[in-house]
Amino acid sequence: MTDPQEVSVDNTAGHDRRTFLRRAAIGASAVGAWVAPQVLSTAHVSAGCTPLTQLLQIPAISCPSSGGAVTTLDANLPSCAPSGWATGRNDGVGFTCSALGASPAWGASISITGCTPTEGRAVKYCPLASGSKYTCVSGVIVGSTITFPLLSAAEQSQGCAYVDYRITVSCCT
């Protein structure tokens, strides 16, 4: 005889959503698929967006607030570009550029409009350096902003400056 206070629950996978989702997650992980946490906690799965990688190159000396340049590689350090970089493109990514010092070529904070930066690299040129005159600097991403650090006073006194900011961004389509 059952207790009248107990609620009868059918625990078959077809009727118990939690059991079904747990089994689906275990099955997905068994084949190497990643299951988003929201899939396990929401009744409806949204289609989300299809990410599209776009490229943005900004001349560091002027760091305009719109109209990035056509993408290139620096001939002095061609490996200093984000992964997936291609030349000859201007994807029209919107941005706002703010200099961190007296010149945007000494460091800048770049806010991307409507997309998210995924990687950024800049060639740093130091004409008076005793060793390599060209080095590669990675940008630091926080939200929709990427920052290329302000060059130190010692670097600035040596004539160091960033050449171009090269940034890959992810946009929803």
Side-chain angles (χ1 to χ4, degrees):
M1 180 169 203
T2 61
D3 183 347
Q5 300 294 327
E6 286 184 22
V7 177
S8 175
V9 177
D10 183 354
N11 284 329
T12 63
H15 297 311
D16 184 346
R17 183 172 176 266
R18 289 173 296 180
T19 302
F20 172 76
L21 290 172
R22 186 172 36 254
R23 287 182 182 166
I26 291 169
S29 64
V31 295
W34 178 79
V35 178
Q38 64 268 26
V39 170
L40 298 176
S41 62
T42 61
H44 303 287
V45 177
S46 66
C49 77
T50 302
L52 173 67
T53 298
Q54 294 188 336
L55 309 180
L56 173 61
Q57 182 166 320
I58 303 169
I61 191 65
S62 62
C63 203
S65 290
S66 63
V70 173
T71 58
T72 63
L73 291 172
D74 189 300
N76 298 294
L77 198 56
S79 63
C80 186
S83 54
W85 193 256
T87 61
R89 291 174 50 178
N90 186 340
D91 291 339
V93 175
F95 66 93
T96 302
C97 187
S98 301
L100 297 179
S103 170
W106 290 345
S109 180
I110 302 161
S111 296
I112 308 298
T113 307
C115 300
T116 305
T118 55
E119 186 180 2
R121 302 187 83 188
V123 172
K124 180 174 71 172
Y125 173 59
C126 295
L128 304 176
S130 59
S132 176
K133 296 184 183 315
Y134 295 92
T135 55
C136 191
V137 177
S138 294
V140 177
I141 298 170
V142 176
S144 63
T145 301
I146 184 167
T147 301
F148 292 90
L150 181 63
L151 299 178
S152 70
E155 290 172 312
Q156 292 175 28
S157 70
Q158 293 293 311
C160 296
Y162 292 113
V163 179
D164 286 303
Y165 300 121
R166 291 177 178 86
I167 306 163
T168 53
V169 299
S170 179
C171 303
C172 286
T173 59

